[in-house]
């Protein structure tokens, strides 16, 4: 049985696009970058921790397969997580304005006997955003709960002048890498 260890409705939607049945494991793990921890290792670690914590919740099921994922926006080694409030969201968007940033998505798949991981790194270029545009976008509420204070599948899609990488990875679950991992574990996709 496949489980998704995530509260993200975007991850649920994306995993559903693979045509698989899966259960949900609701986790609320703290996500804190360790001092000196490289951004890539941080994202990989959080994805592993989510999958591992999910497996502990379904340990009674010997055929359990748990998928955990983490996605973060990174600019100049600064990790932009979910904004604390509207002012934090606006500050993030000002920093991203007119710049190219990375979106790192890590996917971990664990069973009682094995684990594997894949990573997708996308380059996302934002157009210049003036303060009025940022204020209007933040007022929609869309930036809240989103890494980097934006949703590429929403209004912020017009901010993206160039994307080199995985659109679904920027949304929160890189489907190409996820499907490859599932096939490695014998799940037909």
């Amino acid at each position: 049985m496949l489980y998704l260890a995530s509260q993200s409705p975007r991850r649920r939607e994306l995993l559903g696009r693979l045509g698989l049945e899966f259960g949900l494991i609701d986790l609320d793990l703290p996500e804190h970058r360790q001092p000196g921890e490289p951004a890539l290792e941080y994202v990989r670690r959080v994805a592993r921790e989510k999958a591992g914590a999910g497996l502990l919740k379904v340990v009674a099921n010997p055929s359990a397969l748990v998928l955990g994922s983490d996605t973060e926006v990174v600019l100049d080694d600064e990790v932009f997580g979910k904004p604390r409030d509207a002012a934090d969201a606006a500050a993030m968007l000002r920093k991203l304005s007119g710049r190219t940033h990375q979106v790192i998505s890590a996917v971990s798949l664990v069973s009682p006997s094995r684990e594997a991981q894949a990573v997708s790194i996308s380059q996302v270029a934002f157009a210049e955003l003036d303060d009025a545009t940022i204020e209007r976008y933040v007022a929609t509420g869309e930036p809240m709960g989103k890494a980097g204070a934006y949703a590429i599948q929403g209004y912020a899609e017009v901010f993206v002048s160039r994307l080199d990488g995985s659109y679904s990875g920027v949304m929160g679950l890189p489907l190409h890498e996820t499907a490859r991992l599932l096939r490695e574990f014998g799940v037909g996709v």
Side-chain angles (χ1 to χ4, degrees), residues 87-145:
D88 191 33
M92 287 183 194
L93 292 166
R94 278 189 204 94
K95 288 180 182 179
L96 296 174
S97 173
R99 305 271 316 269
T100 298
H101 60 273
Q102 287 187 324
V103 177
I104 304 172
S105 275
V107 181
S108 287
L109 198 56
V110 298
S111 73
S113 61
R114 117 184 222 222
E115 73 175 79
Q117 188 174 70
V119 175
S120 167
I121 301 176
S122 300
Q123 305 294 325
V124 181
F126 263 26
E128 291 282 344
L129 306 175
D130 59 35
D131 284 339
T133 300
I134 290 171
E135 287 175 28
R136 278 193 309 273
Y137 181 60
V138 171
T140 68
E142 188 176 90
M144 306 315 294

